[in-house]
Amino acid sequence: MTDTARITHWIGGKLWDGVPERQGDVFDPATGEVSAQVDLAAPAEVDAAVAAAKGAFAEWRNSSLTKRTQVLFAFREIINARKEEVAAAITAEHGKVLSDAVGEVTRGLEVVEFACGIPHLLKGGFSEGVSTGVDVYSIRQPLGVVGIISPFNFPAMVPMWFFPVAIAAGNTVVLKPSEKDPSASMLIAQMWADAGLPDGVFNVVHGDKPAVDRLLEHPDVRAISFVGSTPIARYVYETGTRHGKRVQALGGAKNHMVVLPDADLDLAADAAINAGFGSAGERCMAISALVVVEPVADELVAKISQRMGTLRTGDGRRGTDMGPLVTAVHRDKVASYLDSGVADGAELVVDGRDVEVDGAAEGFWLGPSLFDRAGPEMSIYTDEIFGPVLTVLRVPSYDAALELVNSNPYGNGTAIFTNDGGAARRYQFEVEVGMVGVNVPIPVPMAYYSFGGWKNSLFGDSHAHGAEGVHFFTRGKVVTSRWLNPSHGGINLGFPMQT
Ligand code: NAD
């Protein structure tokens, strides 16, 4: 072991004190240096976390809605007061710029605020007098221990899509965050403890495939919420459901922004920049395919490339616009698409490899890149690149744009830019995508709606948070009851008669 910081599991309200079999490097992507070693859980550590969560379940599910709501409000206040601290941890391990990291925590907080309304959200229905003296009512009860497995790109927000609702509904949680940026989850665990959440209700195990596999097969884990790439999402869904669990597995994306000729092209250019290069394109809702209906492509490409020249790439702590990619391996993979796109015949208008950087030379840098005249068969279009590469596809008509979007195997987010309300309305109706923006490039729903894509972007049938989140983390029960009318007629020795 080295003398770099060590990040370990949070089980039963305290740091795990065992000796890890394996550890992984955590990098500062802006310097390229290893900043910490994270313990990678073996099945035994996952078992310990699940046992802690199982042990805490009875007390937590029996605590009143008032008590649970008080803990949630306290947690909300603590994380709101300390969101810069969480953001700094995110920037130091993920690389996104600080303002973006604060934004991520803020969006996660919205789900905590939604979950503060859990007494209202858990209300059931009641039918009085369905038969003589008989009433029927429905209630929703927690599942037990639930597992949350999250990706590197939103180390605070994505877990916060799930655990506030899960905990508010009375479940206990084992979170397995990405091993690439594990620190935000540790801060959050401490904040739950400070808010008065009983030990064992929220646990964190760090790790990779062995930890995920143990969660998927563990008999005491009732449900799994997963977010990550499509191949792993499919695997998690199939393995988890085979082991009898309720699973929602959100996968990768290829998000299209359609620009019609009547759109405000300055607005569209700004939106393409923000949605294409924010967080260095490492967002599941990033726009990566710009579908431009002719004859405006020349003008729009010129406006976008002019704006790209003003973006400052560098260390996210220095007030830059775009930070590094998460690891050197990922940076190299994204950069390889710049070669394959050119080889396939697309026009590389802006090459991010030429970027001047405000940061350490060894950081995992790649500047914003722009392809024009790409075709739907090219790998720069078919693959989820997950980096700062925007690809323009030129099409002759709205119908051709729609066909392109609907032929894509992913269906997470999409946007249409137009001033034609009729065309926008048609698009929202016809497009086979779970989240649609009209002149809004990243249409992430508010916490009281549900987040989720279609097709290969989501396996299972429940989206995250909102009503679907409450439904996912509870199961329904219907009670049919008969109570006889009280009879206080006193003593009467007369012959019984109907009244
Ligand atoms: P990833 O699939 O590599 O990892 C996600 C999680 O799965 C991590 O916790 C990781 O440790 C675990 N994992 C990785 N390989 C595994 C394996 N072989 N078996 C079991 N578990 C494994 O994803 P990532 O690179 O961390 O995140 C980026 C991906 O997540 C992108 O594809 C992005 O689109 C997607 N994403 C989707 C959404 C959405 O809402 N649909 C949101 C955020 C990110």
Side-chain angles (χ1 to χ4, degrees), residues 148-154 157-158 161-162 176-181 206-213 216 226-233 235-236 249-255 281-286 326 330 384 386 410 412 435 451-453 456-458 464:
I148 298 169
I149 301 160
S150 56
F152 80 83
N153 66 321
F154 285 109
M157 184 185 79
V158 164
W161 283 349
F162 304 107
K176 206 300 285 171
S178 170
E179 65 278 27
K180 296 192 176 89
D181 42 17
H206 299 289
D208 48 7
K209 183 170 170 53
V212 171
D213 285 347
L216 293 179
F226 171 90
V227 180
S229 58
T230 287
I232 311 296
Y235 166 77
V236 164
L250 284 68
K254 193 79 188 178
N255 304 312
E282 292 171 330
R283 288 181 182 147
C284 61
M285 291 291 275
V326 68
H330 187 55
E384 181 187 34
F386 218 57
Y410 295 105
N412 212 40
M435 293 169 282
F451 180 108
N456 285 352
S457 295
L458 190 143

Side-chain angles (χ1 to χ4, degrees), residues 356-377:
E356 266 186 43
V357 168
D358 178 8
E362 293 74 23
F364 308 142
W365 308 112
L366 183 66
S369 301
L370 179 66
F371 275 114
D372 192 7
R373 300 180 188 279
E377 70 296 340

